[in-house]
Amino acid sequence: MRRPAKRVTSADVARAAGVSAATVSYVLNDTPGQSIPEETRRRVLDAVKRLDYRPRGSARSLAAGRSDVVLLSIPHLSIGPGINRFVEQFATALADAGLTLVTHLAGAPGRPLPDVCAAIDASVVVSLDPLDDETVQALRRAGADLVFTTEFEAHPTMRLMGRLQAEHLIDLGHRRLGYAMPEHPLLRKIAGDRLAGVAEACAHAGVDPPTALDTRLDGAAMARAARRWRRESVTAVCAYNDEVAIALLMGLRRAGLTAPGDLAVIGTDDIPLAQAADPPLSTIAFDLEKVGRSLADAVVANLSGRKPRLTPASLSPHVIHRAST
Amino acid sequence: MRRPAKRVTSADVARAAGVSAATVSYVLNDTPGQSIPEETRRRVLDAVKRLDYRPRGSARSLAAGRSDVVLLSIPHLSIGPGINRFVEQFATALADAGLTLVTHLAGAPGRPLPDVCAAIDASVVVSLDPLDDETVQALRRAGADLVFTTEFEAHPTMRLMGRLQAEHLIDLGHRRLGYAMPEHPLLRKIAGDRLAGVAEACAHAGVDPPTALDTRLDGAAMARAARRWRRESVTAVCAYNDEVAIALLMGLRRAGLTAPGDLAVIGTDDIPLAQAADPPLSTIAFDLEKVGRSLADAVVANLSGRKPRLTPASLSPHVIHRAST
DNA sequence: ATGAAAGCGCTAACAG
DNA sequence: CTGTTAGCGCTTTCAT
């Protein structure tokens, strides 16, 4: 499995193509202001293919002073399983612009983000986690010349999600809402923002403020919570996410209640099980793929000096109405 | 957000500490065979901290001929949500050995693995996806001097998981088993391996071969499947994973049946919802954290020339018995 | 249109 | 013990 291995270098390609290393570089980078005759270009590209040559990123960025590597930092507790679809689109769109994406799982006691950034010499860092100013500075010193902190977990979008949940329920005629808070401490902050959105919507519609209850992913506990809501005349609850919502659906069943008759339920994320749930779960979803693409656009635009355009609106969460409400 | 930024270099540190760049390198790398007086070391380390200096990975690996970057390739359709726990442990254990982990989502139409490897100049590549020989060669040429392909999706472990599911059910007295195949084409191969394991266990126990049915994540479809199994006297079914299992649980309910009385169900992965399910779902789980650590050990051992030890056994899936069986 | 040459920031002999 | 000196593989003026 181990071996020294002598990697192919640009000099090898140059030799094979009968040109200089400089020319190889020109061809491979489409260096502006260099006119390469078709014939030469072909010879070089040929040698590249034949030798399966790949420029070493380290040498490249050392010489050029910038790399084409983008580092994405994802929070440990990710934004549902849809994150994959997001990353996929993001990576693809970046690749189209000649950029390479790698990912780092934040929060772990592993290596701090700036260290990783320096280690791989990323020139762009995108964080789905909020980054404090100090970290951003450290990232700059570490060599990042572009740092993006997305609004994923920021108040406006989170509040909007809560608002959408509540508005959907209120539109359906509910006048007393519950909110199912997640048990995990790291989720509480986000949950708080979403709950605030729910409260906003309630206030705006002139209905009672929501009754928030802490919930565990546990059938018995959920059954208890359900009864408690019923006791307080709550007729519909916004769950932190689809997991919580499905657990609640199961808790309802165990308590001998049904959705949406006894208690309507709405989640967020649109996980695969949401459709399989009984009744199928209403939920709030992002078009994660679109988000991935527009984020990539923003990165590329910024890199090429053009103005970026990444408004929270481009996250555009939307309601998916299914039988659970 | 943008800026040229003048990064701190080792020369800056040398100047600030009143030593040469070489000495800085010696101190930072604990270069064997170099004895640095405590006083000098302190001055250097001091300057490093003061300037928040981080060696550029590109320069480092260019000069040293090897980087401390490990690239992990994860399949698009990941091994359940537990993957995060795995990555976390893996990253942490690697960090303890001075290695930096970054992740790549395979399968996307983004950039091929070898390109990514070359771009970040990784010296170790670990793939949770099976890698064909050609790719492994390409990775070597791309600069990886260590390539690991784990057994995660390989036959032995997958078969073992199926066998464990079946044995658990058979131990419980079931004599006719069903298998719930996932609908996603990319999952069929893995599912096939697991089903083979189920069949093995059945043969070994002298009971009828399992009745496999294709299933969609959809309540109505699951209800139909449940009835079909019942018709064929199946009393227990092994589900491809917990998602499928939970959907089946819901389908059962919709068909007016109960688990485990009418049909026992067992999944795999132990996702959070497994405990919240009603009844709580029996399942097969890995100790993903242990896997992460032992994989890191194997990488480090191999890198330092010692023999690696990563047997399929170190994946050790085990049964979690809950009320659904 | 192409090549020669000078580094990019760092490590690794080799001197001293 | 520490500094000097070569490069690592590539890009990028600057000549030609």
Side-chain angles (χ1 to χ4, degrees):
Chain A
M1 277 253 173
R2 202 150 173 23
R3 219 185 10 170
K6 32 56 274 329
R7 336 204 230 248
V8 189
T9 78
S10 103
D12 295 331
V13 175
R15 202 169 314 119
V19 298
S20 77
T23 304
V24 173
S25 173
Y26 295 149
V27 171
L28 260 42
N29 300 319
D30 272 321
T31 310
Q34 296 285 347
S35 25
I36 310 284
E38 206 39 56
E39 154 69 6
T40 307
R41 166 185 308 282
R42 216 191 33 65
R43 282 220 316 281
V44 171
L45 260 18
D46 235 57
V48 166
K49 183 146 303 165
R50 194 143 36 77
L51 295 141
D52 190 33
Y53 165 72
R54 269 172 253 268
R56 276 193 104 186
S58 45
R60 235 162 162 305
S61 55
L62 191 51
R66 66 204 138 58
S67 79
D68 58 2
V69 174
V70 177
L71 176 62
L72 174 69
S73 175
I74 303 188
H76 24 247
L77 264 45
S78 75
I79 306 126
I83 193 74
N84 275 17
R85 298 209 316 274
F86 163 80
V87 174
E88 197 171 312
Q89 290 303 315
F90 190 45
T92 305
L94 288 176
D96 288 344
L99 299 173
T100 301
L101 179 73
V102 292
T103 285
H104 164 80
L105 217 69
R111 200 138 268 219
L113 190 55
D115 284 12
V116 177
C117 176
I120 63 172
D121 207 9
S123 61
V124 178
V125 175
V126 177
S127 176
L128 261 31
D129 242 351
L131 254 34
D132 56 55
D133 233 59
E134 196 183 352
T135 305
V136 173
Q137 294 311 322
L139 284 170
R140 305 220 90 99
R141 281 188 299 263
D145 27 51
L146 198 53
V147 178
F148 267 83
T149 300
T150 72
E151 300 291 327
F152 254 132
E153 308 206 345
H155 295 211
T157 305
M158 293 301 110
R159 282 233 297 281
L160 177 54
M161 293 178 76
R163 220 159 56 223
L164 287 173
Q165 287 184 305
E167 283 168 1
H168 176 71
L169 264 17
I170 293 170
D171 281 355
L172 256 26
H174 296 279
R175 287 292 168 266
R176 218 159 181 338
L177 307 188
Y179 191 85
M181 296 283 286
E183 91 179 288
H184 199 300
L186 290 173
L187 261 25
R188 315 271 313 177
K189 197 189 149 325
I190 306 176
D193 290 337
R194 296 194 187 172
L195 173 55
V198 172
E200 263 174 47
C202 287
H204 187 270
V207 310
D208 294 331
T211 305
L213 251 40
D214 287 343
T215 58
R216 291 212 331 266
L217 241 47
D218 166 311
M222 282 295 182
R224 243 173 290 129
R227 278 190 288 260
R228 171 101 178 269
W229 271 312
R230 295 268 303 166
R231 226 177 298 131
E232 311 206 1
S233 318
V234 165
T235 60
V237 0
C238 307
Y240 169 71
N241 66 10
D242 288 351
E243 262 181 10
V244 172
I246 290 177
L248 175 54
L249 246 24
M250 298 184 139
L252 276 180
R253 202 84 82 342
R254 169 186 293 232
L257 302 170
T258 70
D262 296 313
L263 205 58
V265 178
I266 184 168
T268 76
D269 293 352
D270 194 23
I271 67 176
L273 269 179
Q275 315 182 46
D278 189 25
L281 184 65
S282 294
T283 190
I284 306 288
F286 288 107
D287 185 343
L288 263 337
E289 321 205 337
K290 196 174 98 195
V291 175
R293 281 190 301 268
S294 49
L295 192 48
D297 288 347
V299 167
V300 173
N302 225 309
L303 231 34
S304 55
R306 281 165 21 237
K307 271 280 156 32
R309 294 200 326 122
L310 183 74
T311 60
S314 53
L315 293 174
S316 58
H318 58 271
V319 177
I320 297 182
H321 185 180
R322 289 198 271 249
S324 76
T325 56
Chain B
M1 277 256 172
R2 203 152 174 19
R3 221 186 7 168
K6 68 276 129 226
R7 335 202 231 252
V8 190
T9 79
S10 104
D12 295 331
V13 175
R15 203 169 312 119
V19 298
S20 79
T23 303
V24 173
S25 173
Y26 294 149
V27 171
L28 260 42
N29 299 320
D30 273 319
T31 310
Q34 295 286 343
S35 24
I36 311 283
E38 206 38 58
E39 154 70 6
T40 307
R41 167 187 305 283
R42 217 191 33 65
R43 284 219 315 281
V44 171
L45 258 20
D46 235 57
V48 165
K49 184 148 300 164
R50 195 142 37 77
L51 292 124
D52 190 33
Y53 166 71
R54 270 171 252 269
R56 277 193 104 185
S58 44
R60 234 163 162 306
S61 55
L62 190 51
R66 67 204 137 60
S67 79
D68 57 3
V69 174
V70 177
L71 176 61
L72 173 69
S73 175
I74 302 186
H76 24 247
L77 264 46
S78 74
I79 306 122
I83 193 74
N84 275 17
R85 299 208 317 274
F86 163 80
V87 173
E88 199 170 310
Q89 292 302 317
F90 190 45
T92 305
L94 288 177
D96 288 344
L99 299 174
T100 301
L101 178 73
V102 292
T103 285
H104 165 79
L105 216 70
R111 201 139 270 219
L113 191 54
D115 285 12
V116 177
C117 176
I120 63 173
D121 209 9
S123 61
V124 178
V125 175
V126 177
S127 176
L128 261 31
D129 243 351
L131 254 33
D132 55 56
D133 233 60
E134 195 183 353
T135 304
V136 173
Q137 294 312 322
L139 284 171
R140 305 221 90 99
R141 279 188 300 259
D145 26 50
L146 198 52
V147 177
F148 268 83
T149 300
T150 72
E151 301 291 327
F152 254 130
E153 308 205 348
H155 294 212
T157 305
M158 293 301 109
R159 282 233 296 279
L160 177 53
M161 293 178 75
R163 217 158 58 221
L164 287 172
Q165 288 184 306
E167 282 167 1
H168 175 71
L169 263 17
I170 292 171
D171 281 354
L172 256 27
H174 296 280
R175 288 292 166 266
R176 218 160 182 338
L177 308 187
Y179 191 86
M181 295 283 286
E183 91 180 287
H184 199 301
L186 290 173
L187 261 26
R188 314 273 311 179
K189 196 187 150 325
I190 305 176
D193 290 337
R194 298 195 186 170
L195 173 55
V198 172
E200 262 174 46
C202 288
H204 187 270
V207 310
D208 295 331
T211 304
L213 250 40
D214 288 341
T215 59
R216 290 212 331 264
L217 242 46
D218 167 310
M222 282 295 182
R224 243 172 291 129
R227 279 189 288 260
R228 171 101 178 268
W229 272 311
R230 295 269 302 167
R231 227 177 297 130
E232 311 206 1
S233 318
V234 165
T235 60
V237 358
C238 306
Y240 169 72
N241 67 8
D242 288 351
E243 262 181 10
V244 172
I246 290 177
L248 174 53
L249 246 25
M250 298 184 138
L252 275 180
R253 201 84 78 349
R254 171 186 292 231
L257 302 170
T258 70
D262 296 315
L263 204 59
V265 178
I266 184 168
T268 76
D269 293 352
D270 194 23
I271 66 175
L273 271 178
Q275 315 181 44
D278 189 25
L281 184 66
S282 294
T283 190
I284 306 288
F286 287 107
D287 184 344
L288 264 335
E289 320 204 338
K290 197 173 100 195
V291 175
R293 282 190 301 269
S294 50
L295 192 48
D297 288 347
V299 167
V300 173
N302 225 309
L303 231 32
S304 54
R306 283 167 17 239
K307 271 282 155 36
R309 295 201 324 123
L310 183 74
T311 60
S314 53
L315 293 173
S316 58
H318 57 270
V319 177
I320 297 182
H321 185 181
R322 290 198 271 249
S324 75
T325 56

